[in-house]
Amino acid sequence: MLRWIILLIIYVILDLYAFQAFKTVSKNNWFHLSYWLISILVVGNFIFNYYGFNRRDGFSHAHAYAFGFFIAILIPKMILFIGMFTEDVFRVPQAIYRYFTEGDVAKGNYFASRRQFISKMALGIAAIPLASIIYGIYKGKYNFKVLKYTLTFEDLPSAFDGYKITQLSDIHSGSFDDIEKVKYAVGLVNEQQSDVIVFTGDMVNNKAEEMLPYLDVFNKLEAKDGKFSILGNHDYGDYAAWDSETAKHQNLEDLKTIQKQIGFDLLLNESRFLEKNGERIALVGVENWGTGGFKQAGDLKKASQNIQANDFKVLMSHDPTHWEKKVIQDEYHYHLTLSGHTHGMQFGIEIPGWFKWSPAKWRYKYWAGIYKEMGQYINVNRGFGYLAFPGRVGIWPEITVIELKKGISNT
């Protein structure tokens, strides 16, 4: 309760400051009333959905949109607060000076009027994240992008020169609210005509049943050399409230069955060989392994027990911290690791080939795209779906296509 009171006090302070910008540029009472009405409705809806909320009870679409709209107005108000507060840094000393120098002459009007220029500039800047977040909620979360990479390896078997891998990750089917958009994305995957499709974990938010409405959508994925998958941290049901351990276990078994129905070969600390013209590459799949309190069920040694040191290896591991902490130091050389998990925080700024930023970089060293360390590559997929915040801003849902080439290794 105390936490909510403190948060509410902070929000009221932000709101009062933000209102000053609106009040400065417009004297229309209906405009002022609309401001407070929207603010109260959004905050009230957020409190209604989250007061007493327990993540294990489930995260509904109502929770997602309450959070999304709250963020949509909170960030612009923080910008307005900074603008108005910065102006007060100058107004307050001036008022104090006038109090002691002008006395009764000022008749209590010690504060200089707020300048419309400052308010308009603050409102203009605040409008950018507001519009971006609203776009992200209604359009951005389904703004699927096909990102293509070509990676060159000296020891790639010749038969696999030009071999194409499509990677999907973090479907989070329980978050979807538009099946037609999902169908479009699956069609986009098939258009790539890749040799193999791999899915690197988090098919659901919590429960296997979330995937049931999408069985006939995802089973249309096609790849001539098969479809392979692993588990992510959300797939184990660790974040849901279960009546018993038996129910939780059954949920995981149900998810395994669903993956089979879709056509995925689920690798549980296992490996498979992809063969072509008498040559082969190893596809290795580990269960989730992550730091920061995430499940560590992944067993790299067990997963690789049937492959040779000189095999060309593609590793599927959901959390990129596994690559950072374990994989690149392993005695086996894993040529390419495919991960997801971070979602790129679903928020950031990217100018392809020039600039890439997201708050995710404060949590993960490798958070989106291709990285190379010690002669080994990792691709961190930005995710197919979304979680918690019902949108994406600047970090779009991703379908990755990686073409393997034989030749001198990329620098």
Side-chain angles (χ1 to χ4, degrees), residues 156-193:
L156 178 71
S158 298
F160 288 87
D161 186 24
Y163 198 78
K164 286 181 17 178
I165 301 170
T166 287
Q167 180 196 0
L168 305 178
S169 194
D170 300 87
I171 289 175
H172 288 287
S173 55
S175 296
F176 291 142
D177 56 11
D178 190 333
I179 194 169
E180 294 303 318
K181 297 293 186 182
V182 180
K183 288 179 180 178
Y184 162 77
V186 168
L188 199 57
V189 174
N190 287 335
E191 285 179 14
Q192 308 313 309
Q193 298 183 328

Side-chain angles (χ1 to χ4, degrees), residues 318-385:
H318 178 69
D319 192 320
T321 59
H322 187 217
W323 188 72
E324 176 188 355
K325 302 296 184 182
K326 296 288 185 179
V327 176
I328 57 177
Q329 304 293 338
D330 193 86
E331 59 184 349
Y332 271 15
H333 181 89
Y334 291 88
H335 299 75
L336 172 62
T337 296
L338 303 174
S339 297
H341 182 62
T342 72
H343 298 207
M345 204 73 78
Q346 296 170 211
F347 178 86
I349 302 171
E350 287 196 78
I351 303 175
W354 290 88
F355 181 76
K356 181 173 67 177
W357 177 89
S358 165
K361 69 177 297 182
W362 299 330
R363 172 67 177 83
Y364 296 98
K365 183 176 181 180
Y366 308 102
W367 59 273
I370 298 285
Y371 301 88
K372 185 179 182 181
E373 297 284 353
M374 299 175 64
Q376 301 168 77
Y377 289 95
I378 185 173
N379 179 62
V380 184
N381 185 287
R382 294 160 181 81
F384 186 91

